[in-house]
């Protein structure tokens, strides 16, 4: 039994403390419901960017825990980032992959390339990550997360997330609001201010 | 002017980076800037971060900036073409001061000292028009006399809170 994106985000937000968090795609919407932390920023609209942004934060702020909440199709766009991250050996880097087998955030019609069979945990280990886990249920996530958060990174956690909704006649694609194009910069400046005030 | 006069010493470029507070260099190695890459790899003050693709060089630099560091990005013209949407996103939309040193890979030696618009190579002659279309400022580094343009890139990036490209016209010198 899989978990929903919002459920997974709530568990992560509930257990982290003071981390720098980079979200993207469906996890962006899920995490904003779960957390009011000023040190959360989104890779939007930019599929594939979360792991690199998280790496930069992890290297700049080694004293901080960095959590990247990535999408499966997003990571596939920059799968080479696994090697880039592994090459830097950021011990404070935790990489969660929300594996819902859908191409777009929250509402999706297209499956990811390779379908559900892509093994992100294996790819991370093969690329040189220090650890990798597969978490199938919400109960497993609640149980395993405390230990994962204190592991030496980089660590990837592949989460089995339930299928999102799809567009169609009764649920047409919406207009993309201005905020979607402004929030990454606004959130980045908020994170910078929070770090400066800490 | 001899071809070698168009090769700006890599050590001089690195010194300009340091003078502008650079702490990290994210890169996909570039044939044009190989000697600069070697200087960065041996340097103790600037941390070199090798990336698998140019998109990652930009996003990692963005994360470093948010974390309080001053990165420079090093790539070649093909790489710039490869990461235009990421540049649009983390550079333009997010209003990030970021200097990107771009080697003009494939430029004919006969074109050195000439306008790159007259290069017969599309990968060379389209770079400036692409940057202009995206509204991204750029400076040309053609000879050692242009080294102050490195400083100009950092000043412009800070002033306008935007990405600025340094176009490196020929192989950086192993000096």
């Amino acid at each position: 039994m899989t978990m929903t994106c919002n459920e997974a985000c709530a568990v992560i937000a509930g257990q982290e403390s003071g981390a720098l968090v980079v979200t993207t795609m469906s996890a962006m919407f899920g995490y904003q419901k779960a957390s009011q932390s000023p040190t959360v920023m989104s890779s939007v609209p930019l599929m594939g960017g979360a792991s690199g942004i998280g790496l930069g934060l992890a290297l700049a702020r080694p004293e901080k825990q960095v959590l990247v909440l990535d999408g499966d199709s997003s990571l596939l766009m920059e799968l080479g980032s696994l090697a880039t991250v592994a090459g830097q050996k950021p011990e404070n880097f935790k990489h969660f992959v929300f594996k819902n087998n859908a191409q777009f955030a929250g509402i999706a019609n297209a499956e990811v390339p390779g379908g559900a069979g892509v093994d992100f945990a294996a790819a991370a280990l093969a690329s040189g990550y220090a650890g990798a886990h597969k978490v199938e249920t919400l109960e497993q996530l609640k149980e395993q997360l405390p230990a994962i958060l204190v592991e030496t990174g980089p660590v990837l956690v592949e989460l089995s997330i339930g299928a999102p909704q799809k567009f169609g006649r009764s649920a047409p694609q919406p207009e993309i609001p201005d905020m979607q194009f402004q929030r990454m910069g606004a959130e980045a400046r908020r994170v910078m201010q929070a770090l400066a005030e800490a | 002017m001899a071809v070698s006069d168009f090769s700006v010493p890599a050590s001089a470029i690195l010194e300009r980076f340091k003078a502008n507070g650079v702490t990290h260099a994210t890169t996909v190695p570039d044939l044009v800037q190989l000697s600069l890459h070697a200087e960065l790899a041996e340097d103790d003050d600037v941390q070199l971060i090798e990336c698998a693709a140019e998109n990652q060089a930009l996003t990692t630099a963005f994360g470093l900036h948010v974390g309080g560091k001053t990165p420079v990005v090093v790539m070649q013209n093909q790489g710039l073409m490869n990461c235009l949407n990421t540049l649009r996103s983390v550079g333009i939309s997010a209003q990030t001061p970021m200097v990107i040193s771009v080697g003009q890979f494939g430029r004919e030696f006969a074109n050195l000292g000439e306008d790159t618009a007259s290069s017969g190579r599309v990968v060379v002659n389209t770079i400036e028009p692409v940057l202009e279309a995206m509204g991204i400022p750029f400076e040309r580094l053609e000879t050692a006399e242009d080294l102050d343009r490195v400083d100009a890139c950092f000043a412009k990036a800070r002033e306008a809170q935007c990405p600025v490209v340094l176009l490196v016209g020929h192989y950086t010198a192993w000096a």
Side-chain angles (χ1 to χ4, degrees), chain B residues 108-124:
Chain B
E108 313 93 318
F109 286 9
N111 185 253
L112 298 176
E114 305 295 326
D115 192 329
T116 53
S118 64
S119 167
R121 312 278 170 79
V122 173
V123 72
V124 174

Side-chain angles (χ1 to χ4, degrees), chain A residues 41 44-46 48-49 51-53 55-57 59-61 78-81 83-84 88 181-182 184-185 188-189 191-192 195, chain B residues 24 47-56 59-69 85-86 88-90 93-96:
Chain A
M41 60 180 291
V44 62
L46 181 63
S51 53
I53 296 170
L55 174 61
L57 284 170
L59 295 174
R61 294 287 179 158
E78 290 295 331
L79 196 60
S81 69
T84 299
Q88 296 301 314
F181 297 90
Q182 299 162 351
M184 182 160 61
R189 288 184 283 277
V191 171
M192 293 173 77
L195 287 171
Chain B
H24 296 72
Q47 184 178 342
L48 180 65
I49 301 167
E50 308 263 21
C51 299
E54 289 79 8
N55 292 304
Q56 296 154 36
T59 53
T60 302
F62 178 53
L64 285 161
H65 166 73
V66 175
K69 303 301 182 184
N85 183 55
T86 301
R88 184 278 310 160
S89 181
V90 304
S93 295
Q95 299 177 301
T96 304

Side-chain angles (χ1 to χ4, degrees), chain A:
Chain A
M1 181 180 173
T2 59
M3 63 197 103
T4 69
C5 174
N6 288 353
E7 288 172 339
C9 286
V11 169
I12 295 169
Q15 293 198 21
E16 70 87 7
S17 177
L20 303 176
V21 182
V22 182
T23 67
T24 194
M25 306 308 284
S26 55
M28 175 180 77
F29 298 109
Y31 209 80
Q32 75 179 18
K33 291 177 183 171
S35 173
Q36 301 300 312
S37 167
T39 56
V40 179
M41 60 180 291
S42 311
S43 178
V44 62
L46 181 63
M47 289 180 71
S51 53
I53 296 170
L55 174 61
L57 284 170
L59 295 174
R61 294 287 179 158
E63 78 282 7
K64 291 277 190 183
Q65 177 95 272
V66 173
L67 309 181
V68 174
L69 276 54
D70 214 341
D72 47 3
S73 52
S74 291
L75 180 55
L76 282 173
M77 284 191 170
E78 290 295 331
L79 196 60
S81 69
L82 294 177
T84 299
V85 169
Q88 296 301 314
K89 299 180 172 58
E91 295 184 355
N92 56 337
F93 186 94
K94 303 288 159 39
H95 194 169
F96 296 86
V97 178
F98 285 59
K99 187 176 179 180
N100 62 6
N101 193 30
Q103 187 71 21
F104 300 114
I107 307 173
N109 290 52
E111 289 191 355
V112 299
V118 178
D119 189 335
F120 292 98
L125 290 174
S127 300
Y129 271 49
H133 305 270
K134 290 186 177 183
V135 179
E136 304 284 342
T137 69
L138 193 64
E139 288 67 32
Q140 288 176 0
L141 180 62
K142 290 176 181 175
E143 182 182 323
Q144 296 178 26
L145 189 58
I148 290 171
L149 289 176
V150 296
E151 272 187 61
T152 298
V155 169
L156 184 140
V157 183
E158 181 180 311
L159 303 173
S160 294
I161 302 294
Q165 296 172 283
K166 293 185 176 183
F167 291 119
R169 285 184 184 170
S170 60
Q173 302 94 313
E175 180 181 12
I176 307 300
D178 286 343
M179 186 57 193
Q180 190 115 337
F181 297 90
Q182 299 162 351
R183 69 181 291 170
M184 182 160 61
E187 290 173 353
R189 288 184 283 277
R190 186 182 65 183
V191 171
M192 293 173 77
Q193 183 175 350
L195 287 171
E197 293 173 351

Side-chain angles (χ1 to χ4, degrees), chain B residues 117-137:
Chain B
S118 64
S119 167
R121 312 278 170 79
V122 173
V123 72
V124 174
N125 66 33
T126 56
I127 291 295
E128 291 188 13
V130 164
L131 292 171
E132 287 168 348
M134 294 183 74
I136 295 174

Side-chain angles (χ1 to χ4, degrees), chain B residues 75-82 102-106 123-124 127:
Chain B
M75 63 177 66
Q76 67 177 218
N77 48 13
Q78 294 187 92
L80 184 71
M81 294 292 201
N82 188 39
V102 176
Q104 282 282 33
F105 171 79
V123 72
V124 174
I127 291 295

